């Protein structure tokens, strides 16, 4: 057999593993990864030429007319998978639409799957749905990955009812023992931050007798970590071990992240050590997670020590590593150290992004250093970075905190006249700063503007209003606004309870507030956090 024939056969086997789910090693294709066992598709000289042409050519008609004849189908499909790895969705769409009518293996589920995936990643769920219907019309049999990709497309577009319908259909055709589609559903829900539904699907997965994979457990650990429930993440990890399901480096990193979010350095470090004891070499993501733990706990030099350890072990810090260290120093008030790390990042050839500048801006903002913050904004302009709403909101907050309301108004004018989105966060900052400074009328004027802007007040908005009157000990007014808040369908959090209690002038009022919040807590289906000032 020639080298060319062997290469094509190898590619066909690999594509089978990617999209049909077979495996030589007993390990399944990880949904969404685009490669098997860390082996990327090998590009032939012809495939490299096709890929290079696609990178240069923007005219779709010329691309279609210049693609090779059907006998180069394997090369074209290899390029499609390579484009998927690079997340170049438009190019995938062009090339797969070229392949479908020409494939020697008609109808071809691989191309349909690639198209559903590409449209899903572009949040074009209707187009993904159309491809799925075309697949059926072509009498092509969908496989697990077809359902997984379509569910993911719906989840990413927030079409949860559609995702549930596809999930129900899949269960009629696919064996319940497979975790591929369940994992895709959970992953899509997590991307949409629908953690409650993701947990529900995980529990359904267990009830259906589906064998949970390492990826399944890892996603649930990550879910609980993001929800601030590290104790639940650890419980899932223990169950995973009891079920003889072997954790991988992603599992341990998810656990480190879970503890890092709560600033639990010792537990994060314990998980990091367990990873190493399991024979897994920490990667940059694992080191970053541990650095984050020290940063959130307020130990910047601990984060710096992990940064140095990473370099010592030969693991190169990435942009996120530098950002975490800049942020760690900034949060601790060591803005000079933060800037030194920022400059070091540039020195080693890593270009600072918007986030990089933002963590440095936050460091100087924390110290109230307006001139330095304005210098950073100028640096961003000079670097070609376009300000977004978050950046300008940060400056609004800084000027407002320092009582520089004239400059705050100037920033607001820039936002309204420019192409920036003035969102609810913008109004929350303005209302809070005016309210705390005693400009009640200005605050109320902004509140009335929300309706005209088509914005809905959230818990921060209502709490800011209550807080302004609370500062003046206007207890009855605070209760009045609180009632408006409940009538509007917005429920309090710990901050709301805190400002209500601050408005109280005697024990009777404190007792009344406590009773109201306690009663609401019992009536609500969801669990409110423990409120500051008293226990529920």
């Amino acid at each position: 057999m020639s080298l060319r024939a062997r290469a094509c056969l190898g590619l066909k086997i690999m594509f089978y593993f990617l999209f049909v789910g077979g495996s030589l090693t007993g390990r399944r294709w990880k949904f969404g990864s685009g490669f098997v066992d860390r082996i990327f598709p090998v590009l032939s000289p012809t495939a490299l030429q096709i890929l290079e042409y696609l990178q240069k050519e923007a005219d779709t008609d010329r691309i279609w007319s210049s693609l090779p004849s059907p006998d180069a189908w394997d090369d074209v499909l290899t390029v499609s998978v390579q484009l998927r790895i690079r997340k170049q969705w438009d190019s995938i769409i062009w090339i797969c639409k070229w392949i479908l009518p020409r494939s020697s293996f008609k109808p071809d589920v691989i191309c349909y799957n690639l198209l559903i995936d590409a449209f899903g990643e572009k949040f074009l769920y209707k187009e993904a749905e159309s491809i799925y219907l075309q697949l059926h019309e072509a009498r092509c049999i969908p496989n697990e990955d077809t359902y997984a990709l379509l569910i993911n497309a719906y989840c990413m577009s927030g079409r949860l009812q559609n995702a549930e319908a596809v999930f129900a259909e899949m269960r009629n055709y696919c064996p319940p023992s497979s975790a591929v589609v369940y994992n895709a559903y959970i992953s899509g829900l997590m991307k949409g931050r629908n953690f409650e539904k993701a947990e529900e699907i995980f529990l359904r997965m267990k009830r259906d007798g589906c064998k949970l994979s390492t990826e399944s457990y890892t996603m649930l650990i990550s879910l609980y970590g993001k929800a601030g429930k590290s104790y639940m993440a650890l419980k899932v990890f223990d169950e995973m071990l009891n079920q003889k399901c072997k954790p991988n480096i992603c599992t341990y990193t998810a656990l480190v992240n879970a503890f890092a979010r709560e600033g639990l350095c010792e537990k994060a470090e314990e998980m990091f050590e367990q990873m190493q004891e399991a024979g897994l070499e920490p990667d940059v993501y694992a080191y970053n997670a541990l650095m984050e733990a020290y940063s959130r706990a307020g130990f910047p030099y601990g984060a710096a020590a992990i940064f140095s350890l990473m370099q010592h072990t030969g693991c190169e810090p990435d942009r996120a590593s530098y950002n975490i260290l800049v942020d760690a120093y900034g949060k601790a008030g060591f803005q000079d150290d933060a800037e030194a790390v920022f400059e070091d990042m540039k020195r080693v050839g890593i270009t600072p992004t918007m986030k990089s500048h933002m963590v440095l801006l936050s460091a100087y903002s924390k110290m109230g250093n307006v001139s330095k913050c304005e210098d950073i904004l100028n640096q961003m302009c000079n670097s070609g970075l376009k300000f977004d709403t978050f950046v300008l909101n940060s400056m609004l907050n800084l000027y407002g905190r320092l009582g520089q309301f004239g400059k705050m108004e100037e920033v607001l004018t820039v936002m309204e006249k420019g192409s920036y989105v003035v969102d609810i966060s913008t109004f929350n900052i303005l209302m809070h700063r005016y309210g705390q400074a005693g400009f009640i009328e200005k605050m109320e004027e902004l509140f009335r503007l929300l309706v005209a802007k088509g914005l809905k007040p959230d818990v921060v908005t209502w709490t800011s209003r209550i807080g302004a009157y609370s500062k003046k000990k206007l207890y009855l007014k605070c209760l009045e606004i609180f009632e408006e808040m409940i009538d509007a369908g917005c429920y309090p959090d710990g901050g709301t309870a805190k400002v209500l209690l601050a408005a109280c002038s005697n024990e009777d009022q404190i007792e009344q507030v406590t009773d109201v919040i306690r009663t609401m807590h019992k009536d609500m289906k969801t669990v409110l956090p423990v409120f500051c000032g008293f226990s529920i």
Side-chain angles (χ1 to χ4, degrees):
M1 185 182 289
S2 68
L3 287 174
R4 167 75 178 172
R6 278 184 290 179
C8 288
L9 177 61
L11 286 171
K12 288 175 184 175
I13 292 172
M14 182 184 68
F15 292 137
Y16 175 81
F17 296 153
L18 277 170
F19 294 98
V20 181
S23 175
L24 286 174
T25 62
R27 286 174 286 181
R28 297 186 63 80
W29 168 57
K30 180 182 176 185
F31 169 78
S33 64
F35 62 93
V36 181
D37 297 332
R38 299 186 181 183
I39 300 173
F40 287 83
V42 178
L43 300 181
S44 69
T46 302
L48 284 169
Q49 288 177 356
I50 296 170
L51 183 62
E52 184 179 353
Y53 185 77
L54 284 169
Q55 304 302 315
K56 292 179 179 177
E57 183 57 63
D59 188 326
T60 54
D61 291 332
R62 290 190 61 185
I63 289 173
W64 281 58
S65 62
S66 301
L67 285 173
S69 60
D71 59 7
W73 183 82
D74 283 330
D75 289 316
V76 176
L77 191 56
T78 312
V79 169
S80 300
V81 176
Q82 184 65 234
L83 292 169
R84 184 175 186 273
I85 294 167
R86 299 183 184 190
K87 300 183 178 181
Q88 294 178 322
W89 311 116
D90 286 327
S91 296
I92 290 173
I93 292 167
W94 296 334
I95 204 167
C96 284
K97 284 187 173 181
W98 180 88
I99 292 174
L100 274 176
R102 295 169 174 82
S103 171
S104 56
F105 300 99
K106 296 179 182 178
D108 196 271
V109 72
I110 299 174
C111 288
Y112 286 116
N113 285 351
L114 280 166
L115 280 167
I116 291 170
D117 188 26
F119 283 125
E121 292 293 335
K122 285 170 66 65
F123 302 100
L124 299 172
Y125 75 90
K126 288 187 178 180
E127 285 80 354
E129 188 178 70
S130 175
I131 296 298
Y132 177 71
L133 294 175
Q134 287 177 39
L135 178 151
H136 281 284
E137 290 168 2
R139 299 183 182 277
C140 185
I141 300 173
N143 58 25
E144 288 179 333
D145 294 314
T146 310
Y147 291 114
L149 293 165
L150 185 57
I151 286 171
N152 188 63
Y154 281 133
C155 286
M156 289 186 69
S157 297
R159 311 290 296 188
L160 299 187
Q161 287 185 332
N162 302 64
E164 184 66 29
V166 174
F167 186 71
E169 180 184 338
M170 174 277 305
R171 295 170 80 200
N172 293 329
Y173 296 100
C174 295
S177 58
S178 172
V180 173
V181 181
Y182 286 94
N183 288 346
Y185 198 3
I186 294 169
S187 174
L189 290 166
M190 288 181 66
K191 287 177 184 176
R193 302 192 65 79
N194 194 331
F195 298 141
E196 186 177 342
K197 182 68 174 178
E199 184 180 19
E200 178 190 318
I201 299 302
F202 183 86
L203 295 174
R204 189 193 301 180
M205 186 179 183
K206 295 174 76 172
R207 286 197 306 271
D208 288 350
C210 177
K211 184 176 176 59
L212 275 63
S213 65
T214 298
E215 184 186 0
S216 309
Y217 280 114
T218 300
M219 283 195 293
L220 193 63
I221 289 168
S222 178
L223 184 153
Y224 284 128
K226 290 176 180 178
K229 298 179 179 178
S230 59
Y231 65 94
M232 286 296 295
L234 188 58
K235 185 177 179 181
V236 172
F237 180 71
D238 289 338
E239 178 189 324
M240 182 181 185
L241 297 179
N242 290 334
Q243 293 298 318
K244 308 299 181 186
C245 185
K246 189 175 180 180
N248 59 21
I249 191 167
C250 296
T251 313
Y252 284 104
T253 302
L255 266 174
V256 174
N257 268 318
F259 291 116
R261 284 188 176 89
E262 297 175 42
L264 301 173
C265 301
E266 290 184 7
K267 290 298 294 182
E269 192 165 325
E270 183 183 322
M271 290 300 110
F272 191 84
E273 289 171 357
Q274 281 191 34
M275 179 198 307
Q276 293 172 303
E277 289 167 3
L280 297 169
E281 187 68 29
D283 59 12
V284 67
Y285 303 105
Y287 280 111
N288 286 350
L290 191 55
M291 284 176 63
E292 188 69 42
Y294 283 103
S295 174
R296 294 204 177 211
F299 299 123
Y301 294 118
I306 300 301
F307 186 88
S308 297
L309 176 64
M310 181 177 6
Q311 292 175 307
H312 181 72
T313 57
C315 181
E316 285 296 322
D318 62 6
R319 183 181 287 107
S321 312
Y322 283 95
N323 287 347
I324 292 167
L325 193 52
V326 171
D327 195 36
Y329 281 127
K331 285 176 179 174
F334 303 148
Q335 68 271 21
D336 291 340
D337 291 315
E339 185 161 13
V341 174
F342 184 85
E343 292 300 324
D344 193 43
M345 172 169 53
K346 293 193 289 186
R347 184 184 60 78
V348 299
I350 298 177
T351 303
T353 60
M354 176 69 75
K355 184 172 182 179
S356 308
H357 285 89
M358 279 306 303
V359 289
L360 186 61
L361 183 71
S362 178
Y364 283 103
S365 177
K366 184 181 178 70
M367 304 304 295
N369 192 331
V370 173
S371 61
K372 192 63 183 179
C373 289
E374 290 172 345
D375 286 344
I376 294 169
L377 292 183
N378 288 330
Q379 286 181 35
M380 292 168 71
C381 283
N382 294 335
S383 300
L385 294 172
K386 182 177 172 58
F387 298 157
D388 60 11
T389 301
F390 186 76
V391 173
L392 295 175
N393 279 351
S394 299
M395 293 305 294
L396 277 176
N397 195 39
L398 173 60
Y399 289 135
R401 178 160 56 89
L402 298 177
Q404 298 182 13
F405 297 110
K407 284 195 171 184
M408 190 169 75
E409 290 289 346
E410 287 176 17
V411 174
L412 182 62
T413 300
V414 168
M415 294 179 74
E416 290 178 329
K417 289 184 176 180
S419 57
Y420 305 100
V421 177
V422 179
D423 58 15
I424 190 63
S425 299
T426 309
F427 276 89
N428 287 344
I429 291 167
L430 293 167
M431 287 179 61
H432 177 69
R433 292 305 174 194
Y434 278 122
Q436 289 299 298
F439 299 117
I440 302 292
E441 283 302 318
K442 184 65 177 176
M443 179 193 72
E444 293 292 6
E445 179 188 331
L446 288 165
F447 184 77
R448 290 189 293 271
L449 266 177
L450 286 175
V451 178
K453 296 284 185 181
L455 298 171
K456 184 179 180 180
D458 60 16
V459 66
V460 178
T461 319
W462 291 104
T463 301
S464 294
R465 277 188 79 200
I466 296 170
Y469 291 104
S470 173
K471 196 171 182 181
K472 294 180 177 293
K473 293 293 181 182
L474 296 173
Y475 175 71
L476 292 178
K477 182 64 177 177
C478 289
L479 278 186
E480 179 188 323
I481 296 172
F482 182 77
E483 289 175 4
E484 287 179 42
M485 174 183 178
I486 303 306
D487 290 342
C490 184
Y491 292 94
D493 63 7
T496 315
K498 186 175 180 180
V499 295
L500 273 175
L501 286 168
C504 299
S505 302
N506 55 56
E507 289 297 324
D508 289 341
Q509 291 176 349
I510 292 173
E511 186 176 348
Q512 183 181 9
V513 170
T514 303
D515 287 342
V516 168
I517 300 295
R518 187 178 285 127
T519 301
M520 284 195 62
H521 172 70
K522 289 178 180 177
D523 291 342
M524 288 178 66
K525 292 181 180 178
T526 54
V527 179
L528 287 170
V530 175
F531 290 108
C532 303
F534 64 97
S535 300
I536 291 177

